[in-house]
Amino acid sequence: MNSRGDSRGWIKRRDVAAALLMVGILWGTPLLPHGSVSAAAPDYLFNDAHLHLTNYVQKGTDIHQYLRIMGDKVGRSTLFGIPLQQTWSEGNSGDFAPTYYLQSDAPLYYYSFTDAFIAHAFLSLTPQERARLDPMITGFNPTDMYAADHIRRVLEVFPGVFSGIGEFSIHKEFVSSKVAGETASLTNPALDRILDFAGEVGLVVILHNDMDMPFAKAGAEPVYLKQMKDLLRRHPNTTIIWAHLGLGRVVHPVQAQAGGSPDERSPAYRDIVEGMLNDPTLSHVYFDISWDEVAKYAVATPEAVRRTAEIFNRYPERILFGTDNVAPQDQATQLRVFNMWDPVWAQLTPAASLKIRKSNYERLFDSARQRVRAWEKANGLQAVDVDAQAEFPRQLKAHGR
C-alpha cells in the first residue's frame, strides 16, 4: 500500500461539512459531522496536532503565511507559541543573539504575552480561516498555584478563541534546568490545579514530559514514568495528549538490556506504551508522534517500522500526528516530518492511517471547541468580534485591566 497516494481516496465526505462551517463560527465551533474533514477542500494529508507559530525569542511565521503553507496539504492545525523566552545575556554570548535554548547558557523565563499574541493573530483572520485553527494557551508557569487563574483570565479576555492548553513542559532534556525559578515537577499541586481546571472547561491538554532522564542506563525503570502515570490517573476527566510519546533528543526508547540500539523502539518501550494504551484508568490519555527526533526512532530499522506500525494498527484511536514544527517558513518544511513517517504509513491499514492523520484530531478538538464555548457561555462570556484591533482593548476594560 502506498502511503499518501492511496490515502487521498480513503474518504470523500468533505463536501458534507461545507454547509455547516459558517454556523457558530463566532463561537469557534463549526457544527461538523463526527470524524468529517473540516472544510470543503482537497483531501488533506493530515491535521497538525503540534505546531509552534513562534520560536524561543517569540518570532515566527505570519499567520496568513502559515495558512498559505498549510495550503491543500494540512487541513487543520493547533496554534501555539512557546511559553519560554531565551534570555540574551551579553555576558554569556556577547553580540550573538541566541534564538534557541541550546545556543546559550543564559536562562529561560516564562513569557505570558505569548497567549495575547496568538489570540491577536488568530482574530486577524476571517471566520473561514479560523475554522482551520485551534489556538492553545501556553503562557503560564506550571509551578505557580496561580497558573490556573492565568488560563481562566485568558479565556475571559479572549472568549471564542482557545481550544486547549499546551504544549507546556515539566521534565524536558536541556530545558528544565535552564528555566529561572522553581523547577517544574509532576507532583506539584499547581500542576494538578491546572489539569483540574482544564477538565472543568473542556480544554485539551498537550503535555511534554520526558519519560526518562537523558542518557539513562539500559534496563532501568524510566525515572518519571510512575509519577507521570500517577498524575494522569488523578485527572480522568481531562483529555491529555502526552507529547512525543514521552521521548526526546537524548531520551531514547527504553532498552530492556544493554547492547540494544538507541535508535530503534525496543520491546521494553513497546510494552510500556502498550500497557498504558490497555490501561482502563488511562483511557483519557493520547499520544502525539510529533518531532523529527521521534520519527527517527520509528523508522531507524525495518524492525522498528514493523513494531511501530503494529502498535498503531492495534490502537489507532489513541495516536495523533503532529509535526512539532517551529515557525515553518515554507510548505516543504511543514511536510518534512510527515514524509519521514512514510515507511510506517505504508504499513498501516487505511482506517488506522486516517484516524492518526486526521480523524482523532477532529474528534478531540471538535469536542473541545464545543465544551469550551459552552463553558464560556455559561460564564457570561461573549465571543470576540472579528475586529480584533478594537476588541482587545474593550475586553481588557470589561475585566478591569
Side-chain angles (χ1 to χ4, degrees), residues 62 93 105 118 150 226 234 298 302 304 314 364 377 388:
D62 175 81
S93 60
D105 293 328
I118 292 295
H150 170 86
K226 183 181 184 303
R234 291 198 298 273
R314 194 175 299 160
L364 295 187
K377 189 172 183 179

Side-chain angles (χ1 to χ4, degrees), residues 232-250:
L232 297 172
R233 290 185 178 116
R234 291 198 298 273
H235 302 279
N237 298 319
T238 305
T239 299
I240 301 173
I241 301 172
W242 192 353
H244 320 308
L245 285 162
L247 302 175
R249 181 179 284 104
V250 295

Side-chain angles (χ1 to χ4, degrees), residues 303-321:
E303 179 62 13
V305 171
R306 186 192 67 78
R307 288 174 179 165
T308 302
E310 185 178 73
I311 292 293
F312 287 8
N313 279 325
R314 194 175 299 160
Y315 306 98
E317 297 85 1
R318 305 281 292 284
I319 310 293
L320 293 90
F321 174 76

Side-chain angles (χ1 to χ4, degrees), residues 14 17-32 36-41 44 46-48 63 66-67 70-71 74-79 121-135 160-163 358 361-370 373 386:
R14 62 186 185 275
L20 300 175
L21 269 174
M22 295 305 295
V23 181
I25 283 290
L26 288 179
W27 282 105
T29 310
L31 303 181
L32 300 174
S36 67
V37 176
S38 305
Y44 298 111
F46 61 92
N47 296 319
D48 195 339
I63 196 167
Y66 179 58
L67 281 167
M70 291 171 66
V74 184
R76 284 168 60 178
S77 176
T78 53
L79 192 72
F122 177 76
L123 292 169
S124 71
L125 302 174
T126 67
Q128 296 93 330
E129 291 170 330
R130 295 184 205 175
R132 297 180 67 181
L133 300 172
D134 287 284
V161 172
F162 291 96
S163 302
K358 302 186 202 179
Y361 179 108
E362 292 159 3
R363 173 167 55 88
L364 295 187
F365 283 93
D366 285 350
S367 175
R369 288 185 184 188
Q370 293 168 4
R373 300 296 83 83
V386 174

Side-chain angles (χ1 to χ4, degrees), residues 86-98 103-107:
Q86 173 62 58
T87 301
W88 180 5
S89 170
E90 195 277 339
N92 181 269
S93 60
D95 293 335
F96 174 73
Q103 295 176 341
S104 171
D105 293 328

Side-chain angles (χ1 to χ4, degrees), residues 4-12 43:
R4 295 183 306 285
D6 291 345
S7 69
R8 295 190 179 102
W10 289 342
I11 54 174
K12 299 296 182 182
D43 279 340

Side-chain angles (χ1 to χ4, degrees), residues 20-308:
L20 300 175
L21 269 174
M22 295 305 295
V23 181
I25 283 290
L26 288 179
W27 282 105
T29 310
L31 303 181
L32 300 174
H34 178 75
S36 67
V37 176
S38 305
D43 279 340
Y44 298 111
L45 296 178
F46 61 92
N47 296 319
D48 195 339
H50 198 121
L51 187 284
H52 300 272
L53 191 67
T54 57
N55 64 12
Y56 278 87
V57 293
Q58 312 307 318
K59 295 182 179 180
T61 306
D62 175 81
I63 196 167
H64 300 89
Q65 173 64 14
Y66 179 58
L67 281 167
R68 289 190 288 272
I69 289 171
M70 291 171 66
D72 62 354
K73 305 299 183 186
V74 184
R76 284 168 60 178
S77 176
T78 53
L79 192 72
F80 43 91
I82 287 182
L84 295 166
Q85 165 79 29
Q86 173 62 58
T87 301
W88 180 5
S89 170
E90 195 277 339
N92 181 269
S93 60
D95 293 335
F96 174 73
T99 60
Y100 193 54
Y101 61 84
L102 293 177
Q103 295 176 341
S104 171
D105 293 328
L108 299 160
Y109 61 90
Y110 289 102
Y111 187 83
S112 292
F113 188 71
T114 184
D115 296 327
F117 178 85
I118 292 295
H120 189 270
F122 177 76
L123 292 169
S124 71
L125 302 174
T126 67
Q128 296 93 330
E129 291 170 330
R130 295 184 205 175
R132 297 180 67 181
L133 300 172
D134 287 284
M136 310 285 282
I137 298 169
T138 63
F140 54 87
N141 179 345
T143 72
D144 184 359
M145 292 292 285
Y146 278 126
D149 298 85
H150 170 86
I151 296 167
R152 177 187 287 271
R153 189 176 304 118
V154 172
L155 294 174
E156 291 172 348
V157 175
F158 297 107
V161 172
F162 291 96
S163 302
I165 63 173
E167 179 201 20
F168 69 98
S169 300
I170 304 301
H171 295 290
K172 182 175 181 179
E173 56 189 10
F174 308 126
V175 170
S176 298
S177 61
K178 290 193 62 175
V179 179
E182 182 179 357
T183 302
S185 166
L186 294 168
T187 61
N188 193 319
L191 180 55
D192 287 299
R193 198 162 184 260
I194 291 168
L195 297 183
D196 280 341
F197 183 67
E200 172 191 335
V201 177
L203 296 159
V204 172
V205 176
I206 302 177
L207 175 60
H208 180 128
N209 187 76
D210 295 344
M211 185 180 295
D212 208 348
M213 68 174 68
F215 309 110
K217 291 184 178 180
E221 175 79 7
V223 172
Y224 305 120
L225 180 59
K226 183 181 184 303
Q227 286 187 359
M228 183 64 170
K229 288 181 180 179
D230 289 344
L231 173 73
L232 297 172
R233 290 185 178 116
R234 291 198 298 273
H235 302 279
N237 298 319
T238 305
T239 299
I240 301 173
I241 301 172
W242 192 353
H244 320 308
L245 285 162
L247 302 175
R249 181 179 284 104
V250 295
V251 177
H252 299 145
V254 180
Q255 293 294 324
Q257 57 187 5
S261 169
D263 296 325
E264 68 176 73
R265 294 177 188 270
S266 72
Y269 178 76
R270 180 185 61 191
D271 292 344
I272 290 171
V273 173
E274 188 165 16
M276 294 185 67
L277 292 170
N278 274 324
D279 189 334
T281 68
L282 299 175
S283 61
H284 59 295
V285 178
Y286 299 79
F287 294 93
D288 86 26
I289 56 172
S290 64
W291 202 5
D292 57 356
E293 298 294 335
V294 175
K296 289 176 184 177
Y297 299 134
V299 301
T301 66
E303 179 62 13
V305 171
R306 186 192 67 78
R307 288 174 179 165
T308 302

